[in-house]
Amino acid sequence: MISKEDNILFAAEKLFAEKGFEGTSTREIAKAANVNISMISYYFGSKEKLYEKLVEYRMDEGQFFSKDILERTDIDDWEKINKIVDQFVGKIRHQKCFYRIMQREQLYTENPHIVELLKQAKLGFIAMYSKILESGLKNGIFTKNPPIYLLHSTISGTLFYAFNAKEMYKEFLNDTNDETVFDEKYYTELNTHIKYLLKDLLGYEENK
């Protein structure tokens, strides 16, 4: 059963995605979470602290996953890349509200705590890619050594552009399927496309 604290977090996430941080009031969050407004102060102290907690919560999910991937010994370095892409695509697809918030925050935030969280999350992913690439080159899994910061840009840049442009592409394709059906097709093809790019960038060949 979801806790009251998490219920408030997720209600706030939807409102922040729709209306922005400044455009969302604590009263609206309390109403959406079906709690007394005093509960927000009790659990978080302020709307700003609630916002920071939401970002920390989502960022921590990614960090735990990254650590787990790096420590696995039952899969090779290409499979680790595969799982990272699967996870990243899945998060963007199923956590649309949060990633809309993050797109806005990277452009407009003046909160130093949020800025630092975003920077550390990016540096964490770059460090993870770097370790996997180093291991893959050493083990002969990869034959190319692209600049690691551009590898990160290729993955995250492609994902976020596709995320933002999804509705435009749906219109361009004249796809009349409902949102759930189109989502399944769109994000499956996006996942496959990124892996094709990475195979070439890393010099990975299957069945070597």
Side-chain angles (χ1 to χ4, degrees):
M1 184 176 177
I2 189 171
S3 68
K4 282 188 178 180
E5 185 176 2
D6 285 347
N7 185 42
I8 294 169
L9 273 179
F10 301 147
E13 183 176 45
K14 290 180 182 178
L15 287 167
F16 290 152
E18 178 185 345
K19 306 177 72 172
F21 175 76
E22 294 296 338
T24 301
S25 69
T26 52
R27 189 171 298 280
E28 288 173 312
I29 295 169
K31 182 179 179 181
N34 197 27
V35 298
N36 189 290
I37 195 169
S38 64
M39 288 290 97
I40 294 175
S41 296
Y42 175 77
Y43 284 113
F44 304 101
S46 66
K47 186 176 75 166
E48 185 173 69
K49 292 298 181 183
L50 165 58
Y51 196 44
E52 291 175 2
K53 182 66 176 179
L54 171 62
V55 176
E56 287 178 2
Y57 181 90
R58 293 301 191 195
M59 292 292 104
D60 283 348
E61 287 180 328
Q63 295 304 314
F64 289 141
F65 169 76
S66 303
K67 184 179 179 182
D68 177 64
I69 284 291
L70 287 175
E71 291 178 351
R72 288 188 64 170
T73 58
D74 60 319
I75 56 175
D76 67 21
D77 298 297
W78 172 248
E79 282 303 312
K80 290 181 180 181
I81 292 289
N82 264 281
K83 289 189 177 298
I84 291 168
V85 174
D86 289 344
Q87 176 80 356
F88 210 163
V89 172
K91 280 184 173 295
I92 284 182
R93 177 183 174 185
H94 297 294
Q95 296 178 2
K96 293 182 176 70
C97 288
F98 180 69
Y99 283 99
R100 285 194 190 101
I101 293 169
M102 288 301 92
Q103 292 281 285
R104 186 183 297 120
E105 284 308 302
Q106 292 186 70
L107 294 173
Y108 303 117
T109 190
E110 296 180 359
N111 182 320
H113 185 60
I114 300 293
V115 170
E116 184 63 22
L117 282 172
L118 292 174
K119 184 181 80 172
Q120 291 306 319
K122 291 175 184 176
L123 289 173
F125 273 108
I126 293 171
M128 177 175 61
Y129 295 140
S130 183
K131 289 177 181 178
I132 294 173
L133 177 57
E134 182 181 353
S135 175
L137 289 167
K138 181 180 178 181
N139 294 325
I141 302 293
F142 308 135
T143 60
K144 296 180 183 178
N145 187 14
I148 201 66
Y149 65 95
L150 293 179
L151 187 71
H152 174 258
S153 293
T154 297
I155 298 171
S156 60
T158 302
L159 278 169
F160 283 121
Y161 186 88
F163 173 74
N164 289 325
K166 193 191 76 169
E167 294 306 317
M168 178 189 72
Y169 289 141
K170 191 174 191 295
E171 182 179 339
F172 172 76
L173 295 168
N174 195 28
D175 195 306
T176 57
N177 287 313
D178 66 33
E179 198 68 15
T180 301
V181 173
F182 182 73
D183 258 25
E184 180 65 29
K185 175 186 174 184
Y186 187 75
Y187 286 105
T188 297
E189 291 180 344
L190 177 59
N191 187 312
T192 301
H193 175 71
I194 290 173
K195 289 175 182 176
Y196 278 141
L197 290 176
L198 292 174
K199 281 182 180 179
D200 185 59
L201 288 170
L202 297 170
Y204 173 76
E205 295 180 13
E206 294 181 276
N207 303 318
K208 288 193 295 185

